[in-house]
Amino acid sequence: MENFNQIESDILNKIKNVSDHNALDSVKTEIFGKKGVITELFNKIRSLDQSQRKEYASKLNELKTKVTEILEKKLVDFDQSEINKKLKNEKIDITLPGRTYFAGKIHPVSQVIDEVTSIFSEIGFSVEEGPDVENEYYNFSALNTPKNHPSRDMQDTFYLDHSKDLLLRTHTSPVQIRTMLKSKPPFKIIAPGRTYRCDSDQTHSPMFHQLEGLHIDKNINMGHLKGCLYYFVKKFFEVEKVKIRFRPSYFPFTEPSAEVDIGYKIQDGKIKIGEGDKWLEILGCGMVHPSVLKNVKVNPKQYQGYAFGVGIDRLAMLKYGINDLRAFFESDIRWLEFYGFDPLDVPTNYRGLSR
Ligand code: DAH
């Protein structure tokens, strides 16, 4: 009969000397693989005498159990020491100062465009866009402002190419024309966007933003215009009551035309919207001129409506107490840090104070 003691000590020696996972795997194959030591010993049972079988098998089973246990223990030891090694190498030093995290800010103009768009969307206006580079027809002529009309003087224009009649749009009103030409009434749209005039001082910048509104349908009257603008001003300035004044005015593309002023007062150095006895102009509006409707092939006998144009930057200045328009477009990151809006609700202590 085999010397099981000898076999056992050979095997245990082998296992003892193993120093990593891979080596342990190959030793395992040497023992329990197809041609492994213990496998062969099991194969031998068949050729043994009945008298020897029982003792042989029981010794062999003992050996198998012992070796299996030792192998398993070794495996656990390896895993443990690998984990310990990892823990040691990947130790995090929690005493290091945290990294500052810089979150960008939303520009007040973008913020106001979002606010205004959502207010008008709630009452059924959809959003339209038009190009910044316009031609004279859309910017002036189709809006009832023919060449040499004195009202073109009101808007000091950047002409790009006279031969092609190209210019930077002086207002968002050409989007009215583009919208009406491309489909059929009714129309209920707003059009926010950049506009340009040759102008620069504390309250004028050569590039600024407007929001155009247009509502054309059967039986639309000035009452609808008033209702819509009251609703808008109250929602935008977040006030319950608001003083609004419609002042007669002139625009070639509306008849009658009006400018809208809102009442305000200065209290403790801050502007309070909606009360007080001072007036501030915020927009131009009116009932769309029949000639404009004819220009876009809409029958003014069947359809009427109102339009308005609001200065977005001015709304932002008023709502958020910013008093110099030029600073809006100087791209000073410190200004944006101060006046900008958080895109997400980032806790303030995470905000990048140093950069
Ligand atoms: N486009 C005008 C401007 O920039 C503002 C305006 C006035 C727009 C009356 C309108 C309107 O749609 O009906 O001064």
Side-chain angles (χ1 to χ4, degrees):
M1 177 154 343
E2 263 72 9
N3 184 347
F4 279 105
N5 285 341
Q6 185 56 47
I7 297 173
E8 180 181 322
S9 78
D10 284 352
I11 290 179
L12 296 190
N13 255 339
K14 259 193 191 155
I15 297 178
K16 212 164 94 194
N17 293 331
V18 158
S19 61
D20 62 36
H21 256 179
N22 280 347
L24 191 67
D25 277 346
S26 48
V27 168
K28 235 167 140 180
T29 319
E30 276 175 39
I31 303 166
F32 292 115
K34 239 182 174 173
K35 296 221 151 65
V37 190
I38 291 187
T39 317
E40 303 246 281
L41 289 172
F42 271 106
N43 289 341
K44 230 169 149 189
I45 295 181
R46 266 172 281 139
S47 58
L48 286 179
D49 244 28
Q50 205 57 279
S51 58
Q52 288 181 316
R53 266 192 200 179
K54 207 172 164 203
E55 194 192 344
Y56 179 94
S58 99
K59 283 200 165 154
L60 183 53
N61 272 326
E62 243 173 65
L63 176 66
K64 183 189 163 193
T65 313
K66 195 163 181 188
V67 171
T68 309
E69 272 170 15
I70 288 174
L71 274 174
E72 262 163 23
K73 189 171 174 300
K74 192 90 181 167
L75 202 67
V76 172
D77 287 351
F78 277 153
D79 285 346
Q80 192 57 47
S81 72
E82 249 164 52
I83 290 171
N84 287 342
K85 217 157 99 193
K86 260 197 173 163
L87 282 176
K88 212 170 143 202
N89 291 340
E90 295 171 13
K91 200 160 81 179
I92 298 168
D93 183 354
I94 54 163
T95 62
L96 279 175
R99 247 177 245 173
T100 39
Y101 159 50
F102 181 72
K105 290 291 190 87
I106 295 191
H107 195 285
V109 169
S110 308
Q111 170 78 15
V112 167
I113 290 178
D114 283 353
E115 290 176 16
V116 168
T117 306
S118 83
I119 293 171
F120 281 108
S121 313
E122 279 170 16
I123 50 170
F125 286 82
S126 56
V127 177
E128 286 288 337
E129 281 184 333
D132 290 13
V133 176
E134 262 300 357
N135 59 46
E136 276 190 77
Y137 179 73
Y138 290 112
N139 195 80
F140 289 125
S141 308
L143 287 160
N144 203 28
T145 317
K147 277 208 171 84
N148 307 320
H149 188 291
S151 79
R152 285 202 188 190
D153 278 355
M154 278 158 59
Q155 304 184 351
D156 263 332
T157 312
F158 290 113
Y159 286 93
L160 296 179
D161 188 341
H162 262 301
S163 64
K164 292 193 191 120
D165 283 348
L166 289 182
L167 47 83
L168 293 176
R169 66 177 178 189
T170 58
H171 50 181
T172 41
S173 304
V175 186
Q176 291 186 26
I177 303 299
R178 289 182 176 274
T179 305
M180 291 194 282
L181 279 176
K182 76 178 182 203
S183 69
K184 297 249 169 297
F187 303 105
K188 199 174 180 186
I189 60 116
I190 50 165
R194 276 190 281 272
T195 46
Y196 306 83
R197 285 183 209 175
C198 199
D199 222 349
S200 182
D201 60 36
Q202 193 177 345
T203 51
H204 294 94
S205 130
M207 189 281 299
F208 57 106
H209 298 81
Q210 282 192 342
L211 176 99
E212 196 74 14
L214 173 74
H215 185 186
I216 304 284
D217 206 336
K218 291 177 177 158
N219 305 320
I220 295 287
N221 58 46
M222 227 164 154
H224 296 106
L225 169 62
K226 275 185 101 167
C228 169
L229 292 178
Y230 263 102
Y231 171 83
F232 163 67
V233 171
K234 280 200 283 193
K235 277 264 173 178
F236 180 75
F237 289 108
E238 297 167 32
V239 287
E240 274 301 312
K241 281 221 312 263
V242 70
K243 262 170 76 179
I244 290 187
R245 175 167 83 176
F246 280 73
R247 193 165 27 79
S249 183
Y250 172 75
F251 299 103
F253 32 91
T254 43
E255 179 57 36
S257 304
E259 278 172 312
V260 170
D261 302 332
I262 50 173
Y264 75 98
K265 67 176 176 192
I266 304 286
Q267 201 175 41
D268 305 326
K270 276 199 180 141
I271 182 161
K272 271 200 99 161
I273 301 289
E275 40 189 295
D277 49 14
K278 291 187 159 60
W279 295 102
L280 214 128
E281 181 202 322
I282 56 158
L283 60 88
C285 61
M287 299 306 291
V288 177
H289 198 292
S291 306
V292 173
L293 294 176
K294 280 184 202 150
N295 287 340
V296 294
K297 310 272 177 296
V298 171
N299 181 355
K301 292 221 161 66
Q302 245 187 320
Y303 287 97
Q304 307 81 37
Y306 59 84
F308 55 88
V310 199
I312 289 178
D313 319 274
R314 192 163 252 206
L315 289 181
M317 289 170 80
L318 284 174
K319 183 163 176 182
Y320 297 112
I322 311 170
N323 52 24
D324 191 339
L325 177 64
R326 286 165 300 191
F328 274 64
F329 311 118
E330 275 166 5
S331 301
D332 185 334
I333 197 82
R334 293 163 305 178
W335 183 90
L336 194 58
E337 269 288 306
F338 187 79
Y339 286 110
F341 294 82
D342 285 327
L344 303 165
D345 251 354
V346 180
T348 40
N349 55 337
Y350 276 113
R351 232 186 283 143
L353 298 172
S354 60
R355 286 158 57 72

